[in-house]
Short mmCIF file of all heavy atoms in Angstrom, two decimals:
data_model
loop_
_atom_site.label_atom_id
_atom_site.label_comp_id
_atom_site.label_asym_id
_atom_site.label_seq_id
_atom_site.Cartn_x
_atom_site.Cartn_y
_atom_site.Cartn_z
N MET E 1 -23.05 -7.21 19.28
CA MET E 1 -23.06 -6.94 17.94
C MET E 1 -22.41 -8.01 17.00
O MET E 1 -22.94 -8.27 15.88
CB MET E 1 -22.30 -5.53 17.65
CG MET E 1 -22.32 -5.11 16.27
SD MET E 1 -21.52 -3.44 16.17
CE MET E 1 -20.07 -4.00 15.27
N LEU E 2 -21.35 -8.65 17.51
CA LEU E 2 -20.71 -9.64 16.70
C LEU E 2 -21.42 -11.02 16.72
O LEU E 2 -21.30 -11.72 15.71
CB LEU E 2 -19.25 -9.77 17.15
CG LEU E 2 -18.43 -8.48 17.04
CD1 LEU E 2 -17.09 -8.73 17.66
CD2 LEU E 2 -18.26 -8.06 15.57
N GLY E 3 -22.20 -11.24 17.77
CA GLY E 3 -23.00 -12.51 17.83
C GLY E 3 -22.10 -13.73 17.56
O GLY E 3 -21.11 -13.92 18.18
N ALA E 4 -22.68 -14.59 16.77
CA ALA E 4 -22.04 -15.93 16.51
C ALA E 4 -20.85 -15.89 15.48
O ALA E 4 -20.25 -16.78 15.25
CB ALA E 4 -23.18 -16.85 15.88
N ALA E 5 -20.55 -14.60 15.12
CA ALA E 5 -19.47 -14.40 14.20
C ALA E 5 -18.03 -14.63 14.80
O ALA E 5 -17.06 -14.73 14.24
CB ALA E 5 -19.55 -13.11 13.53
N VAL E 6 -18.12 -14.69 16.14
CA VAL E 6 -16.91 -14.94 16.83
C VAL E 6 -16.86 -16.01 17.98
O VAL E 6 -17.98 -16.13 18.46
CB VAL E 6 -16.39 -13.52 17.54
CG1 VAL E 6 -16.04 -12.37 16.54
CG2 VAL E 6 -17.42 -12.90 18.53
N ASP E 7 -15.92 -16.56 18.28
CA ASP E 7 -15.95 -17.50 19.43
C ASP E 7 -15.84 -16.98 20.88
O ASP E 7 -16.32 -17.57 21.79
CB ASP E 7 -14.68 -18.53 19.15
CG ASP E 7 -14.99 -19.40 17.95
OD1 ASP E 7 -16.20 -19.68 17.63
OD2 ASP E 7 -13.93 -19.89 17.34
N VAL E 8 -15.01 -15.92 20.97
CA VAL E 8 -14.79 -15.32 22.27
C VAL E 8 -14.77 -13.66 22.16
O VAL E 8 -14.35 -13.16 21.26
CB VAL E 8 -13.28 -15.70 22.77
CG1 VAL E 8 -13.02 -14.99 24.19
CG2 VAL E 8 -13.26 -17.18 22.94
N VAL E 9 -15.41 -13.12 23.21
CA VAL E 9 -15.50 -11.66 23.27
C VAL E 9 -14.89 -11.33 24.60
O VAL E 9 -15.51 -11.87 25.70
CB VAL E 9 -16.88 -11.05 23.10
CG1 VAL E 9 -16.94 -9.64 23.38
CG2 VAL E 9 -17.40 -11.28 21.72
N VAL E 10 -13.91 -10.43 24.80
CA VAL E 10 -13.53 -9.89 26.03
C VAL E 10 -14.05 -8.52 26.06
O VAL E 10 -13.74 -7.65 25.37
CB VAL E 10 -11.93 -9.87 26.08
CG1 VAL E 10 -11.51 -9.26 27.42
CG2 VAL E 10 -11.37 -11.29 25.96
N ASP E 11 -15.03 -8.32 27.03
CA ASP E 11 -15.72 -7.09 27.24
C ASP E 11 -15.18 -6.36 28.41
O ASP E 11 -15.29 -6.83 29.62
CB ASP E 11 -17.22 -7.44 27.45
CG ASP E 11 -18.01 -6.20 27.50
OD1 ASP E 11 -17.51 -5.00 27.53
OD2 ASP E 11 -19.24 -6.19 27.42
N GLY E 12 -14.49 -5.28 28.09
CA GLY E 12 -13.91 -4.42 29.09
C GLY E 12 -14.90 -3.36 29.58
O GLY E 12 -14.44 -2.38 30.24
N GLY E 13 -16.04 -3.33 29.19
CA GLY E 13 -16.99 -2.28 29.61
C GLY E 13 -17.08 -1.26 28.43
O GLY E 13 -16.58 -1.32 27.43
N THR E 14 -17.65 -0.10 28.98
CA THR E 14 -17.81 1.12 28.03
C THR E 14 -16.50 1.63 27.72
O THR E 14 -15.65 1.85 28.61
CB THR E 14 -18.69 2.11 28.66
OG1 THR E 14 -19.95 1.40 28.99
CG2 THR E 14 -18.97 3.31 27.78
N ALA E 15 -16.20 2.05 26.51
CA ALA E 15 -14.96 2.71 26.04
C ALA E 15 -14.97 4.07 26.56
O ALA E 15 -15.88 4.76 26.42
CB ALA E 15 -14.90 2.63 24.46
N PRO E 16 -13.75 4.48 27.16
CA PRO E 16 -13.68 5.89 27.60
C PRO E 16 -13.65 6.77 26.41
O PRO E 16 -13.19 6.57 25.32
CB PRO E 16 -12.23 5.77 28.29
CG PRO E 16 -11.51 4.69 27.52
CD PRO E 16 -12.47 3.69 27.20
N GLY E 17 -14.24 8.02 26.64
CA GLY E 17 -14.24 9.12 25.71
C GLY E 17 -15.03 8.81 24.42
O GLY E 17 -14.86 9.55 23.53
N GLY E 18 -15.86 7.85 24.44
CA GLY E 18 -16.67 7.57 23.20
C GLY E 18 -16.00 7.09 22.05
O GLY E 18 -16.50 7.02 21.08
N VAL E 19 -14.70 6.74 22.26
CA VAL E 19 -13.90 6.17 21.01
C VAL E 19 -14.35 4.58 21.01
O VAL E 19 -14.39 3.91 21.91
CB VAL E 19 -12.43 6.21 21.32
CG1 VAL E 19 -11.60 5.68 20.17
CG2 VAL E 19 -12.03 7.71 21.44
N ALA E 20 -14.46 4.08 19.73
CA ALA E 20 -14.83 2.76 19.59
C ALA E 20 -13.84 1.80 20.12
O ALA E 20 -12.64 2.22 20.21
CB ALA E 20 -15.02 2.44 18.09
N SER E 21 -14.21 0.60 20.37
CA SER E 21 -13.31 -0.45 20.87
C SER E 21 -12.37 -0.88 19.77
O SER E 21 -12.80 -0.87 18.63
CB SER E 21 -14.06 -1.56 21.45
OG SER E 21 -14.79 -2.07 20.51
N THR E 22 -11.14 -1.27 20.13
CA THR E 22 -10.20 -1.92 19.18
C THR E 22 -10.51 -3.33 19.00
O THR E 22 -10.76 -3.96 20.00
CB THR E 22 -8.81 -1.75 19.69
OG1 THR E 22 -8.55 -0.32 19.98
CG2 THR E 22 -7.78 -2.23 18.79
N ILE E 23 -10.60 -3.83 17.84
CA ILE E 23 -10.94 -5.26 17.59
C ILE E 23 -9.75 -5.90 16.91
O ILE E 23 -9.36 -5.52 15.90
CB ILE E 23 -12.25 -5.46 16.78
CG1 ILE E 23 -13.35 -4.84 17.59
CG2 ILE E 23 -12.48 -6.92 16.47
CD1 ILE E 23 -14.72 -4.92 16.80
N ILE E 24 -9.31 -7.01 17.54
CA ILE E 24 -8.06 -7.81 16.97
C ILE E 24 -8.51 -9.19 16.74
O ILE E 24 -9.10 -9.71 17.58
CB ILE E 24 -7.02 -7.69 17.99
CG1 ILE E 24 -6.48 -6.32 18.27
CG2 ILE E 24 -5.77 -8.62 17.48
CD1 ILE E 24 -5.63 -5.59 17.25
N ASP E 25 -8.12 -9.74 15.69
CA ASP E 25 -8.37 -11.20 15.37
C ASP E 25 -7.09 -11.96 15.80
O ASP E 25 -6.03 -11.74 15.22
CB ASP E 25 -8.64 -11.38 13.88
CG ASP E 25 -8.81 -12.91 13.55
OD1 ASP E 25 -8.59 -13.79 14.42
OD2 ASP E 25 -9.10 -13.21 12.36
N ALA E 26 -7.22 -12.65 16.94
CA ALA E 26 -5.96 -13.39 17.51
C ALA E 26 -6.11 -14.79 17.09
O ALA E 26 -5.48 -15.73 17.77
CB ALA E 26 -5.97 -13.03 18.85
N THR E 27 -6.72 -15.19 16.03
CA THR E 27 -6.87 -16.71 15.76
C THR E 27 -5.77 -17.27 14.90
O THR E 27 -5.63 -18.44 14.78
CB THR E 27 -8.26 -17.00 15.05
OG1 THR E 27 -8.31 -16.26 13.91
CG2 THR E 27 -9.43 -16.58 16.02
N GLY E 28 -5.05 -16.46 14.22
CA GLY E 28 -3.84 -16.83 13.47
C GLY E 28 -2.64 -16.79 13.99
O GLY E 28 -2.42 -16.51 15.24
N GLU E 29 -1.50 -16.96 13.35
CA GLU E 29 -0.08 -16.82 13.72
C GLU E 29 0.20 -15.44 14.10
O GLU E 29 1.03 -15.23 15.08
CB GLU E 29 0.80 -17.39 12.70
CG GLU E 29 0.72 -18.87 12.45
CD GLU E 29 1.72 -19.40 11.50
OE1 GLU E 29 2.93 -18.83 11.62
OE2 GLU E 29 1.59 -20.41 10.91
N ARG E 30 -0.40 -14.40 13.41
CA ARG E 30 -0.19 -13.04 13.68
C ARG E 30 -1.40 -12.28 13.83
O ARG E 30 -2.35 -12.50 13.09
CB ARG E 30 0.51 -12.38 12.55
CG ARG E 30 1.01 -11.01 12.79
CD ARG E 30 1.80 -10.52 11.64
NE ARG E 30 2.27 -9.08 11.73
CZ ARG E 30 2.45 -8.22 10.76
NH1 ARG E 30 2.48 -8.74 9.54
NH2 ARG E 30 2.76 -7.02 11.02
N PRO E 31 -1.65 -11.62 15.05
CA PRO E 31 -2.85 -10.86 15.35
C PRO E 31 -3.25 -9.91 14.20
O PRO E 31 -2.20 -9.29 13.55
CB PRO E 31 -2.52 -10.19 16.67
CG PRO E 31 -1.36 -10.88 17.24
CD PRO E 31 -0.60 -11.32 16.14
N ARG E 32 -4.45 -9.87 13.86
CA ARG E 32 -4.84 -8.94 12.75
C ARG E 32 -5.86 -7.83 13.23
O ARG E 32 -6.86 -8.19 13.90
CB ARG E 32 -5.42 -9.69 11.59
CG ARG E 32 -5.85 -9.02 10.36
CD ARG E 32 -6.12 -9.94 9.29
NE ARG E 32 -7.16 -10.82 9.64
CZ ARG E 32 -8.50 -10.78 9.31
NH1 ARG E 32 -8.88 -9.72 8.48
NH2 ARG E 32 -9.39 -11.69 9.57
N LEU E 33 -5.46 -6.63 12.86
CA LEU E 33 -6.51 -5.48 13.27
C LEU E 33 -7.72 -5.48 12.41
O LEU E 33 -7.64 -5.55 11.26
CB LEU E 33 -5.66 -4.22 13.14
CG LEU E 33 -6.56 -2.92 13.40
CD1 LEU E 33 -6.62 -2.85 14.94
CD2 LEU E 33 -5.89 -1.60 13.00
N LEU E 34 -8.77 -5.65 13.08
CA LEU E 34 -10.06 -5.65 12.37
C LEU E 34 -10.73 -4.29 12.47
O LEU E 34 -11.38 -3.73 11.49
CB LEU E 34 -11.09 -6.66 12.94
CG LEU E 34 -10.56 -8.07 12.87
CD1 LEU E 34 -11.64 -8.92 13.52
CD2 LEU E 34 -10.28 -8.56 11.41
N ARG E 35 -10.54 -3.57 13.59
CA ARG E 35 -11.06 -2.11 13.77
C ARG E 35 -10.16 -1.47 14.80
O ARG E 35 -9.94 -1.85 15.81
CB ARG E 35 -12.46 -2.14 14.29
CG ARG E 35 -13.07 -0.73 14.40
CD ARG E 35 -14.58 -0.75 14.85
NE ARG E 35 -14.61 -1.10 16.26
CZ ARG E 35 -15.90 -1.30 16.79
NH1 ARG E 35 -16.96 -1.24 16.20
NH2 ARG E 35 -15.93 -1.56 18.17
N ALA E 36 -9.60 -0.23 14.16
CA ALA E 36 -8.87 0.61 15.13
C ALA E 36 -9.73 1.33 16.08
O ALA E 36 -10.95 1.58 15.75
CB ALA E 36 -8.09 1.58 14.24
N GLY E 37 -9.21 1.49 17.27
CA GLY E 37 -10.19 2.09 18.33
C GLY E 37 -9.25 2.83 19.39
O GLY E 37 -8.20 3.36 19.17
N ALA E 38 -9.79 2.65 20.63
CA ALA E 38 -9.29 3.38 21.75
C ALA E 38 -7.83 2.83 22.14
O ALA E 38 -7.07 3.65 22.62
CB ALA E 38 -10.18 3.07 22.96
N ILE E 39 -7.46 1.62 21.95
CA ILE E 39 -6.02 1.16 22.15
C ILE E 39 -5.26 1.22 20.81
O ILE E 39 -5.63 0.61 19.79
CB ILE E 39 -6.13 -0.34 22.60
CG1 ILE E 39 -7.01 -0.47 23.83
CG2 ILE E 39 -4.70 -0.83 22.92
CD1 ILE E 39 -7.18 -1.87 24.39
N ALA E 40 -4.24 2.06 20.75
CA ALA E 40 -3.29 2.25 19.69
C ALA E 40 -2.71 0.94 19.36
O ALA E 40 -2.28 0.10 20.16
CB ALA E 40 -2.36 3.38 19.96
N VAL E 41 -2.34 0.76 18.12
CA VAL E 41 -1.59 -0.40 17.48
C VAL E 41 -0.27 -0.44 18.31
O VAL E 41 0.22 -1.53 18.59
CB VAL E 41 -1.59 -0.29 15.99
CG1 VAL E 41 -0.46 -1.43 15.51
CG2 VAL E 41 -2.88 -0.58 15.45
N ALA E 42 0.34 0.73 18.43
CA ALA E 42 1.71 0.74 19.01
C ALA E 42 1.66 0.18 20.47
O ALA E 42 2.58 -0.34 20.92
CB ALA E 42 2.14 2.23 19.09
N GLU E 43 0.58 0.47 21.16
CA GLU E 43 0.40 -0.05 22.56
C GLU E 43 0.22 -1.54 22.49
O GLU E 43 0.88 -2.38 23.30
CB GLU E 43 -0.83 0.51 23.25
CG GLU E 43 -0.67 1.97 23.56
CD GLU E 43 -1.94 2.50 24.13
OE1 GLU E 43 -2.21 2.25 25.36
OE2 GLU E 43 -2.77 3.17 23.47
N ILE E 44 -0.52 -2.07 21.60
CA ILE E 44 -0.65 -3.53 21.39
C ILE E 44 0.63 -4.25 20.93
O ILE E 44 1.05 -5.19 21.44
CB ILE E 44 -1.75 -3.89 20.36
CG1 ILE E 44 -3.13 -3.27 20.93
CG2 ILE E 44 -1.91 -5.38 20.08
CD1 ILE E 44 -4.24 -3.22 19.92
N ASP E 45 1.36 -3.52 20.01
CA ASP E 45 2.67 -4.02 19.66
C ASP E 45 3.66 -4.04 20.78
O ASP E 45 4.47 -5.05 20.80
CB ASP E 45 3.26 -3.19 18.46
CG ASP E 45 2.63 -3.55 17.16
OD1 ASP E 45 1.92 -4.59 17.01
OD2 ASP E 45 2.80 -2.73 16.11
N ALA E 46 3.58 -3.15 21.64
CA ALA E 46 4.49 -3.11 22.78
C ALA E 46 4.30 -4.35 23.67
O ALA E 46 5.14 -5.01 24.16
CB ALA E 46 4.40 -1.83 23.60
N VAL E 47 2.91 -4.63 23.93
CA VAL E 47 2.62 -5.87 24.62
C VAL E 47 3.07 -7.17 23.99
O VAL E 47 3.51 -8.10 24.60
CB VAL E 47 1.14 -5.89 25.00
CG1 VAL E 47 0.75 -7.26 25.64
CG2 VAL E 47 0.72 -4.73 25.86
N LEU E 48 2.92 -7.27 22.65
CA LEU E 48 3.25 -8.36 21.82
C LEU E 48 4.72 -8.48 21.58
O LEU E 48 5.15 -9.64 21.16
CB LEU E 48 2.54 -8.30 20.55
CG LEU E 48 1.02 -8.42 20.53
CD1 LEU E 48 0.36 -8.20 19.16
CD2 LEU E 48 0.49 -9.82 21.13
N ALA E 49 5.51 -7.48 21.83
CA ALA E 49 6.96 -7.53 21.57
C ALA E 49 7.66 -8.70 22.15
O ALA E 49 8.58 -9.39 21.54
CB ALA E 49 7.66 -6.22 22.01
N GLY E 50 7.33 -9.06 23.27
CA GLY E 50 7.91 -10.34 24.05
C GLY E 50 7.67 -11.57 23.27
O GLY E 50 8.41 -12.52 23.44
N LEU E 51 6.67 -11.56 22.49
CA LEU E 51 6.33 -12.84 21.68
C LEU E 51 6.94 -12.79 20.31
O LEU E 51 6.86 -13.71 19.51
CB LEU E 51 4.76 -12.93 21.52
CG LEU E 51 4.03 -13.10 22.82
CD1 LEU E 51 2.47 -13.07 22.48
CD2 LEU E 51 4.32 -14.43 23.46
N GLY E 52 7.61 -11.62 19.97
CA GLY E 52 8.24 -11.51 18.57
C GLY E 52 7.25 -11.28 17.55
O GLY E 52 7.57 -11.47 16.34
N VAL E 53 6.04 -10.80 17.75
CA VAL E 53 5.07 -10.55 16.74
C VAL E 53 4.45 -9.04 16.88
O VAL E 53 4.72 -8.47 17.90
CB VAL E 53 3.85 -11.56 16.65
CG1 VAL E 53 4.30 -12.80 16.56
CG2 VAL E 53 3.10 -11.44 18.05
N THR E 54 4.04 -8.55 15.85
CA THR E 54 3.27 -7.31 15.73
C THR E 54 1.93 -7.44 15.15
O THR E 54 1.57 -8.54 14.64
CB THR E 54 4.09 -6.16 14.87
OG1 THR E 54 4.12 -6.78 13.55
CG2 THR E 54 5.45 -5.99 15.46
N VAL E 55 1.19 -6.47 15.26
CA VAL E 55 -0.27 -6.54 14.80
C VAL E 55 -0.18 -6.28 13.29
O VAL E 55 0.31 -5.31 12.72
CB VAL E 55 -1.13 -5.53 15.43
CG1 VAL E 55 -2.58 -5.40 14.74
CG2 VAL E 55 -1.37 -5.76 16.89
N ASP E 56 -0.94 -7.12 12.45
CA ASP E 56 -1.07 -6.92 11.03
C ASP E 56 -2.17 -5.98 10.78
O ASP E 56 -3.32 -6.25 11.10
CB ASP E 56 -1.45 -8.31 10.37
CG ASP E 56 -1.67 -8.13 8.97
OD1 ASP E 56 -1.64 -7.09 8.43
OD2 ASP E 56 -1.98 -9.18 8.34
N THR E 57 -1.77 -4.82 10.39
CA THR E 57 -2.75 -3.69 10.16
C THR E 57 -3.27 -3.73 8.63
O THR E 57 -4.20 -2.88 8.38
CB THR E 57 -2.27 -2.30 10.46
OG1 THR E 57 -1.09 -2.07 9.69
CG2 THR E 57 -1.79 -2.27 11.86
N GLY E 58 -2.72 -4.45 7.85
CA GLY E 58 -3.14 -4.55 6.38
C GLY E 58 -2.42 -3.53 5.65
O GLY E 58 -2.69 -3.49 4.39
N GLU E 59 -1.54 -2.80 6.25
CA GLU E 59 -0.67 -1.77 5.44
C GLU E 59 0.36 -2.59 4.63
O GLU E 59 0.95 -3.41 5.21
CB GLU E 59 0.01 -0.84 6.35
CG GLU E 59 -0.97 -0.11 7.30
CD GLU E 59 -1.82 0.94 6.38
OE1 GLU E 59 -1.27 1.56 5.47
OE2 GLU E 59 -2.96 1.18 6.79
N GLU E 60 0.49 -2.17 3.38
CA GLU E 60 1.34 -2.88 2.52
C GLU E 60 2.83 -2.61 2.81
O GLU E 60 3.62 -3.50 2.45
CB GLU E 60 1.10 -2.52 1.05
CG GLU E 60 -0.21 -3.00 0.62
CD GLU E 60 -0.44 -2.87 -0.85
OE1 GLU E 60 0.55 -2.79 -1.57
OE2 GLU E 60 -1.61 -2.70 -1.28
N ASP E 61 3.20 -1.50 3.34
CA ASP E 61 4.60 -1.30 3.70
C ASP E 61 5.17 -1.90 4.99
O ASP E 61 6.40 -1.67 5.23
CB ASP E 61 4.81 0.27 3.73
CG ASP E 61 4.05 0.97 4.74
OD1 ASP E 61 2.86 0.56 4.98
OD2 ASP E 61 4.57 1.86 5.46
N GLU E 62 4.38 -2.51 5.62
CA GLU E 62 4.89 -3.09 6.85
C GLU E 62 5.47 -4.50 6.62
O GLU E 62 5.07 -5.03 5.63
CB GLU E 62 3.77 -3.32 7.88
CG GLU E 62 2.63 -4.39 7.65
CD GLU E 62 1.62 -4.48 8.74
OE1 GLU E 62 1.92 -4.11 9.74
OE2 GLU E 62 0.51 -4.77 8.33
N PRO E 63 6.41 -4.92 7.42
CA PRO E 63 7.10 -6.20 7.15
C PRO E 63 6.05 -7.39 7.23
O PRO E 63 5.23 -7.44 8.06
CB PRO E 63 8.02 -6.35 8.30
CG PRO E 63 7.97 -5.07 9.17
CD PRO E 63 6.93 -4.35 8.55
N ALA E 64 6.30 -8.35 6.33
CA ALA E 64 5.34 -9.41 6.33
C ALA E 64 5.54 -10.36 7.47
O ALA E 64 4.59 -11.04 7.86
CB ALA E 64 5.48 -10.26 4.96
N ASP E 65 6.68 -10.48 7.94
CA ASP E 65 6.99 -11.35 9.11
C ASP E 65 7.60 -10.63 10.16
O ASP E 65 8.79 -10.92 10.66
CB ASP E 65 7.87 -12.53 8.60
CG ASP E 65 7.88 -13.69 9.46
OD1 ASP E 65 6.99 -13.76 10.45
OD2 ASP E 65 8.68 -14.75 9.31
N ALA E 66 6.98 -9.66 10.68
CA ALA E 66 7.58 -8.82 11.73
C ALA E 66 7.77 -9.43 13.10
O ALA E 66 7.12 -10.35 13.46
CB ALA E 66 6.69 -7.47 12.05
#
């Protein structure tokens, strides 16, 4: 579906339970949520914690440099 709009796609197969896949833009200094889906932002943030970053969800009340 994304075609030439992206450089890399990691395909984990069919999403369980019919929930859309989560799409993250990881090309910048801070990963950016493009589409919420089967993997919760909290789960992604837990994995990223060791790097000292969180996912930018576009919410205005979140820290700009988390």
